[in-house]
PDB file of all heavy atoms in Angstrom:
ATOM      1  N   ILE A 167      92.297 -66.844 100.504  1.00 95.00           N
ATOM      2  CA  ILE A 167      91.120 -66.342  99.795  1.00 95.00           C
ATOM      3  C   ILE A 167      91.059 -66.954  98.396  1.00 95.00           C
ATOM      4  O   ILE A 167      89.998 -67.418  97.945  1.00 95.00           O
ATOM      5  CB  ILE A 167      91.121 -64.802  99.723  1.00 95.00           C
ATOM      6  CG1 ILE A 167      90.870 -64.211 101.112  1.00 95.00           C
ATOM      7  CG2 ILE A 167      90.064 -64.307  98.733  1.00 95.00           C
ATOM      8  CD1 ILE A 167      91.005 -62.697 101.163  1.00 95.00           C
ATOM      9  N   VAL A 168      92.202 -66.975  97.710  1.00 96.00           N
ATOM     10  CA  VAL A 168      92.265 -67.613  96.391  1.00 96.00           C
ATOM     11  C   VAL A 168      91.915 -69.084  96.501  1.00 96.00           C
ATOM     12  O   VAL A 168      91.147 -69.633  95.690  1.00 96.00           O
ATOM     13  CB  VAL A 168      93.663 -67.435  95.777  1.00 96.00           C
ATOM     14  CG1 VAL A 168      93.795 -68.251  94.496  1.00 96.00           C
ATOM     15  CG2 VAL A 168      93.950 -65.963  95.499  1.00 96.00           C
ATOM     16  N   MET A 169      92.454 -69.730  97.519  1.00 96.00           N
ATOM     17  CA  MET A 169      92.223 -71.161  97.742  1.00 96.00           C
ATOM     18  C   MET A 169      90.738 -71.459  97.936  1.00 96.00           C
ATOM     19  O   MET A 169      90.175 -72.368  97.311  1.00 96.00           O
ATOM     20  CB  MET A 169      93.035 -71.587  98.970  1.00 96.00           C
ATOM     21  CG  MET A 169      92.875 -73.017  99.400  1.00 96.00           C
ATOM     22  SD  MET A 169      93.947 -73.274 100.854  1.00 96.00           S
ATOM     23  CE  MET A 169      93.279 -74.813 101.462  1.00 96.00           C
ATOM     24  N   MET A 170      90.077 -70.703  98.806  1.00 96.00           N
ATOM     25  CA  MET A 170      88.661 -70.930  99.078  1.00 96.00           C
ATOM     26  C   MET A 170      87.797 -70.591  97.859  1.00 96.00           C
ATOM     27  O   MET A 170      86.770 -71.235  97.618  1.00 96.00           O
ATOM     28  CB  MET A 170      88.210 -70.108 100.290  1.00 96.00           C
ATOM     29  CG  MET A 170      88.885 -70.495 101.590  1.00 96.00           C
ATOM     30  SD  MET A 170      88.558 -72.223 102.022  1.00 96.00           S
ATOM     31  CE  MET A 170      89.634 -72.428 103.442  1.00 96.00           C
ATOM     32  N   THR A 171      88.207 -69.599  97.092  1.00 96.00           N
ATOM     33  CA  THR A 171      87.491 -69.260  95.861  1.00 96.00           C
ATOM     34  C   THR A 171      87.568 -70.419  94.870  1.00 96.00           C
ATOM     35  O   THR A 171      86.569 -70.789  94.234  1.00 96.00           O
ATOM     36  CB  THR A 171      88.074 -67.985  95.234  1.00 96.00           C
ATOM     37  OG1 THR A 171      87.968 -66.899  96.170  1.00 96.00           O
ATOM     38  CG2 THR A 171      87.330 -67.620  93.951  1.00 96.00           C
ATOM     39  N   ILE A 172      88.746 -71.009  94.750  1.00 97.00           N
ATOM     40  CA  ILE A 172      88.912 -72.170  93.872  1.00 97.00           C
ATOM     41  C   ILE A 172      88.049 -73.329  94.355  1.00 97.00           C
ATOM     42  O   ILE A 172      87.404 -74.020  93.551  1.00 97.00           O
ATOM     43  CB  ILE A 172      90.399 -72.585  93.808  1.00 97.00           C
ATOM     44  CG1 ILE A 172      91.204 -71.526  93.053  1.00 97.00           C
ATOM     45  CG2 ILE A 172      90.554 -73.959  93.144  1.00 97.00           C
ATOM     46  CD1 ILE A 172      92.705 -71.751  93.086  1.00 97.00           C
ATOM     47  N   GLY A 173      88.010 -73.547  95.663  1.00 97.00           N
ATOM     48  CA  GLY A 173      87.201 -74.632  96.215  1.00 97.00           C
ATOM     49  C   GLY A 173      85.731 -74.490  95.872  1.00 97.00           C
ATOM     50  O   GLY A 173      85.075 -75.455  95.447  1.00 97.00           O
ATOM     51  N   HIS A 174      85.201 -73.281  96.042  1.00 96.00           N
ATOM     52  CA  HIS A 174      83.795 -73.052  95.696  1.00 96.00           C
ATOM     53  C   HIS A 174      83.585 -73.208  94.187  1.00 96.00           C
ATOM     54  O   HIS A 174      82.542 -73.727  93.752  1.00 96.00           O
ATOM     55  CB  HIS A 174      83.355 -71.658  96.148  1.00 96.00           C
ATOM     56  CG  HIS A 174      82.833 -71.625  97.541  1.00 96.00           C
ATOM     57  ND1 HIS A 174      83.385 -70.850  98.539  1.00 96.00           N
ATOM     58  CD2 HIS A 174      81.803 -72.292  98.118  1.00 96.00           C
ATOM     59  CE1 HIS A 174      82.707 -71.028  99.664  1.00 96.00           C
ATOM     60  NE2 HIS A 174      81.745 -71.892  99.434  1.00 96.00           N
ATOM     61  N   ALA A 175      84.562 -72.772  93.391  1.00 96.00           N
ATOM     62  CA  ALA A 175      84.444 -72.908  91.940  1.00 96.00           C
ATOM     63  C   ALA A 175      84.388 -74.380  91.528  1.00 96.00           C
ATOM     64  O   ALA A 175      83.631 -74.750  90.619  1.00 96.00           O
ATOM     65  CB  ALA A 175      85.622 -72.215  91.254  1.00 96.00           C
ATOM     66  N   VAL A 176      85.160 -75.224  92.205  1.00 97.00           N
ATOM     67  CA  VAL A 176      85.138 -76.660  91.914  1.00 97.00           C
ATOM     68  C   VAL A 176      83.758 -77.246  92.213  1.00 97.00           C
ATOM     69  O   VAL A 176      83.197 -78.009  91.415  1.00 97.00           O
ATOM     70  CB  VAL A 176      86.220 -77.394  92.730  1.00 97.00           C
ATOM     71  CG1 VAL A 176      86.034 -78.910  92.644  1.00 97.00           C
ATOM     72  CG2 VAL A 176      87.606 -77.011  92.235  1.00 97.00           C
ATOM     73  N   ILE A 177      83.190 -76.870  93.356  1.00 96.00           N
ATOM     74  CA  ILE A 177      81.864 -77.376  93.730  1.00 96.00           C
ATOM     75  C   ILE A 177      80.824 -76.960  92.695  1.00 96.00           C
ATOM     76  O   ILE A 177      80.009 -77.776  92.244  1.00 96.00           O
ATOM     77  CB  ILE A 177      81.467 -76.875  95.132  1.00 96.00           C
ATOM     78  CG1 ILE A 177      82.388 -77.486  96.186  1.00 96.00           C
ATOM     79  CG2 ILE A 177      80.000 -77.222  95.433  1.00 96.00           C
ATOM     80  CD1 ILE A 177      82.191 -76.916  97.580  1.00 96.00           C
ATOM     81  N   PHE A 178      80.845 -75.686  92.307  1.00 95.00           N
ATOM     82  CA  PHE A 178      79.872 -75.206  91.328  1.00 95.00           C
ATOM     83  C   PHE A 178      80.089 -75.851  89.964  1.00 95.00           C
ATOM     84  O   PHE A 178      79.125 -76.174  89.264  1.00 95.00           O
ATOM     85  CB  PHE A 178      79.946 -73.681  91.206  1.00 95.00           C
ATOM     86  CG  PHE A 178      79.149 -72.958  92.250  1.00 95.00           C
ATOM     87  CD1 PHE A 178      79.785 -72.163  93.203  1.00 95.00           C
ATOM     88  CD2 PHE A 178      77.771 -73.061  92.299  1.00 95.00           C
ATOM     89  CE1 PHE A 178      79.056 -71.498  94.180  1.00 95.00           C
ATOM     90  CE2 PHE A 178      77.027 -72.396  93.270  1.00 95.00           C
ATOM     91  CZ  PHE A 178      77.671 -71.614  94.209  1.00 95.00           C
ATOM     92  N   ALA A 179      81.338 -76.053  89.585  1.00 95.00           N
ATOM     93  CA  ALA A 179      81.619 -76.643  88.273  1.00 95.00           C
ATOM     94  C   ALA A 179      81.047 -78.051  88.172  1.00 95.00           C
ATOM     95  O   ALA A 179      80.395 -78.410  87.184  1.00 95.00           O
ATOM     96  CB  ALA A 179      83.128 -76.662  88.020  1.00 95.00           C
ATOM     97  N   VAL A 180      81.270 -78.852  89.209  1.00 96.00           N
ATOM     98  CA  VAL A 180      80.764 -80.224  89.198  1.00 96.00           C
ATOM     99  C   VAL A 180      79.241 -80.227  89.318  1.00 96.00           C
ATOM    100  O   VAL A 180      78.543 -80.949  88.601  1.00 96.00           O
ATOM    101  CB  VAL A 180      81.396 -81.052  90.330  1.00 96.00           C
ATOM    102  CG1 VAL A 180      80.833 -82.476  90.343  1.00 96.00           C
ATOM    103  CG2 VAL A 180      82.918 -81.097  90.187  1.00 96.00           C
ATOM    104  N   GLY A 181      78.713 -79.410  90.234  1.00 95.00           N
ATOM    105  CA  GLY A 181      77.267 -79.361  90.433  1.00 95.00           C
ATOM    106  C   GLY A 181      76.514 -78.890  89.218  1.00 95.00           C
ATOM    107  O   GLY A 181      75.483 -79.465  88.836  1.00 95.00           O
ATOM    108  N   LEU A 182      77.021 -77.836  88.558  1.00 95.00           N
ATOM    109  CA  LEU A 182      76.355 -77.312  87.364  1.00 95.00           C
ATOM    110  C   LEU A 182      76.471 -78.275  86.187  1.00 95.00           C
ATOM    111  O   LEU A 182      75.557 -78.377  85.365  1.00 95.00           O
ATOM    112  CB  LEU A 182      76.944 -75.954  86.993  1.00 95.00           C
ATOM    113  CG  LEU A 182      76.495 -74.773  87.860  1.00 95.00           C
ATOM    114  CD1 LEU A 182      77.238 -73.506  87.462  1.00 95.00           C
ATOM    115  CD2 LEU A 182      74.986 -74.558  87.754  1.00 95.00           C
ATOM    116  N   SER A 183      77.590 -78.979  86.108  1.00 94.00           N
ATOM    117  CA  SER A 183      77.731 -79.976  85.041  1.00 94.00           C
ATOM    118  C   SER A 183      76.664 -81.053  85.174  1.00 94.00           C
ATOM    119  O   SER A 183      76.071 -81.494  84.183  1.00 94.00           O
ATOM    120  CB  SER A 183      79.129 -80.607  85.093  1.00 94.00           C
ATOM    121  OG  SER A 183      80.116 -79.641  84.827  1.00 94.00           O
ATOM    122  N   TRP A 184      76.413 -81.462  86.427  1.00 94.00           N
ATOM    123  CA  TRP A 184      75.381 -82.472  86.678  1.00 94.00           C
ATOM    124  C   TRP A 184      74.000 -81.921  86.340  1.00 94.00           C
ATOM    125  O   TRP A 184      73.202 -82.585  85.677  1.00 94.00           O
ATOM    126  CB  TRP A 184      75.451 -82.908  88.134  1.00 94.00           C
ATOM    127  CG  TRP A 184      74.434 -83.935  88.514  1.00 94.00           C
ATOM    128  CD1 TRP A 184      73.204 -83.726  89.085  1.00 94.00           C
ATOM    129  CD2 TRP A 184      74.543 -85.356  88.348  1.00 94.00           C
ATOM    130  NE1 TRP A 184      72.552 -84.914  89.287  1.00 94.00           N
ATOM    131  CE2 TRP A 184      73.357 -85.933  88.843  1.00 94.00           C
ATOM    132  CE3 TRP A 184      75.526 -86.194  87.832  1.00 94.00           C
ATOM    133  CZ2 TRP A 184      73.131 -87.296  88.831  1.00 94.00           C
ATOM    134  CZ3 TRP A 184      75.311 -87.550  87.815  1.00 94.00           C
ATOM    135  CH2 TRP A 184      74.115 -88.097  88.320  1.00 94.00           C
ATOM    136  N   LEU A 185      73.707 -80.709  86.815  1.00 93.00           N
ATOM    137  CA  LEU A 185      72.404 -80.108  86.543  1.00 93.00           C
ATOM    138  C   LEU A 185      72.187 -79.924  85.039  1.00 93.00           C
ATOM    139  O   LEU A 185      71.073 -80.114  84.540  1.00 93.00           O
ATOM    140  CB  LEU A 185      72.298 -78.753  87.248  1.00 93.00           C
ATOM    141  CG  LEU A 185      71.857 -78.741  88.715  1.00 93.00           C
ATOM    142  CD1 LEU A 185      71.868 -77.313  89.246  1.00 93.00           C
ATOM    143  CD2 LEU A 185      70.475 -79.349  88.886  1.00 93.00           C
ATOM    144  N   SER A 186      73.243 -79.568  84.330  1.00 93.00           N
ATOM    145  CA  SER A 186      73.135 -79.332  82.890  1.00 93.00           C
ATOM    146  C   SER A 186      72.825 -80.601  82.111  1.00 93.00           C
ATOM    147  O   SER A 186      72.356 -80.545  80.974  1.00 93.00           O
ATOM    148  CB  SER A 186      74.438 -78.715  82.354  1.00 93.00           C
ATOM    149  OG  SER A 186      74.671 -77.459  82.955  1.00 93.00           O
ATOM    150  N   ALA A 187      73.091 -81.747  82.761  1.00 92.00           N
ATOM    151  CA  ALA A 187      72.778 -83.019  82.104  1.00 92.00           C
ATOM    152  C   ALA A 187      71.304 -83.373  82.209  1.00 92.00           C
ATOM    153  O   ALA A 187      70.812 -84.215  81.453  1.00 92.00           O
ATOM    154  CB  ALA A 187      73.616 -84.140  82.717  1.00 92.00           C
ATOM    155  N   ILE A 188      70.593 -82.709  83.145  1.00 89.00           N
ATOM    156  CA  ILE A 188      69.181 -83.030  83.338  1.00 89.00           C
ATOM    157  C   ILE A 188      68.254 -81.854  83.026  1.00 89.00           C
ATOM    158  O   ILE A 188      67.037 -81.992  83.091  1.00 89.00           O
ATOM    159  CB  ILE A 188      68.917 -83.537  84.776  1.00 89.00           C
ATOM    160  CG1 ILE A 188      69.307 -82.482  85.809  1.00 89.00           C
ATOM    161  CG2 ILE A 188      69.664 -84.830  85.038  1.00 89.00           C
ATOM    162  CD1 ILE A 188      69.031 -82.900  87.246  1.00 89.00           C
ATOM    163  N   MET A 189      68.847 -80.699  82.691  1.00 91.00           N
ATOM    164  CA  MET A 189      68.042 -79.530  82.309  1.00 91.00           C
ATOM    165  C   MET A 189      68.913 -78.603  81.472  1.00 91.00           C
ATOM    166  O   MET A 189      70.140 -78.725  81.491  1.00 91.00           O
ATOM    167  CB  MET A 189      67.512 -78.804  83.564  1.00 91.00           C
ATOM    168  CG  MET A 189      68.585 -78.224  84.455  1.00 91.00           C
ATOM    169  SD  MET A 189      67.918 -77.371  85.926  1.00 91.00           S
ATOM    170  CE  MET A 189      67.226 -78.742  86.855  1.00 91.00           C
ATOM    171  N   PRO A 190      68.318 -77.659  80.715  1.00 91.00           N
ATOM    172  CA  PRO A 190      69.117 -76.717  79.937  1.00 91.00           C
ATOM    173  C   PRO A 190      70.072 -75.928  80.821  1.00 91.00           C
ATOM    174  O   PRO A 190      69.764 -75.640  81.984  1.00 91.00           O
ATOM    175  CB  PRO A 190      68.063 -75.797  79.301  1.00 91.00           C
ATOM    176  CG  PRO A 190      66.812 -76.610  79.293  1.00 91.00           C
ATOM    177  CD  PRO A 190      66.868 -77.466  80.532  1.00 91.00           C
ATOM    178  N   PHE A 191      71.240 -75.560  80.266  1.00 92.00           N
ATOM    179  CA  PHE A 191      72.252 -74.878  81.082  1.00 92.00           C
ATOM    180  C   PHE A 191      71.724 -73.581  81.675  1.00 92.00           C
ATOM    181  O   PHE A 191      72.040 -73.240  82.814  1.00 92.00           O
ATOM    182  CB  PHE A 191      73.512 -74.586  80.251  1.00 92.00           C
ATOM    183  CG  PHE A 191      74.572 -73.884  81.053  1.00 92.00           C
ATOM    184  CD1 PHE A 191      75.382 -74.585  81.935  1.00 92.00           C
ATOM    185  CD2 PHE A 191      74.741 -72.506  80.940  1.00 92.00           C
ATOM    186  CE1 PHE A 191      76.342 -73.934  82.693  1.00 92.00           C
ATOM    187  CE2 PHE A 191      75.698 -71.838  81.691  1.00 92.00           C
ATOM    188  CZ  PHE A 191      76.500 -72.562  82.571  1.00 92.00           C
ATOM    189  N   ALA A 192      70.931 -72.823  80.897  1.00 92.00           N
ATOM    190  CA  ALA A 192      70.406 -71.551  81.398  1.00 92.00           C
ATOM    191  C   ALA A 192      69.580 -71.764  82.662  1.00 92.00           C
ATOM    192  O   ALA A 192      69.691 -71.009  83.643  1.00 92.00           O
ATOM    193  CB  ALA A 192      69.570 -70.869  80.321  1.00 92.00           C
ATOM    194  N   LYS A 193      68.758 -72.822  82.659  1.00 91.00           N
ATOM    195  CA  LYS A 193      67.967 -73.109  83.846  1.00 91.00           C
ATOM    196  C   LYS A 193      68.856 -73.630  84.968  1.00 91.00           C
ATOM    197  O   LYS A 193      68.647 -73.292  86.149  1.00 91.00           O
ATOM    198  CB  LYS A 193      66.884 -74.150  83.523  1.00 91.00           C
ATOM    199  CG  LYS A 193      65.962 -74.428  84.699  1.00 91.00           C
ATOM    200  CD  LYS A 193      64.821 -75.364  84.323  1.00 91.00           C
ATOM    201  CE  LYS A 193      63.893 -75.579  85.513  1.00 91.00           C
ATOM    202  NZ  LYS A 193      62.780 -76.502  85.189  1.00 91.00           N
TER     203      LYS A 193
END
Side-chain angles (χ1 to χ4, degrees):
I167 290 174
V168 172
M169 177 179 165
M170 296 300 173
T171 301
I172 291 173
H174 271 121
V176 169
I177 294 173
F178 276 115
V180 178
L182 284 175
S183 296
W184 180 265
L185 275 178
S186 298
I188 60 178
M189 63 180 68
F191 180 79
K193 184 175 182 181

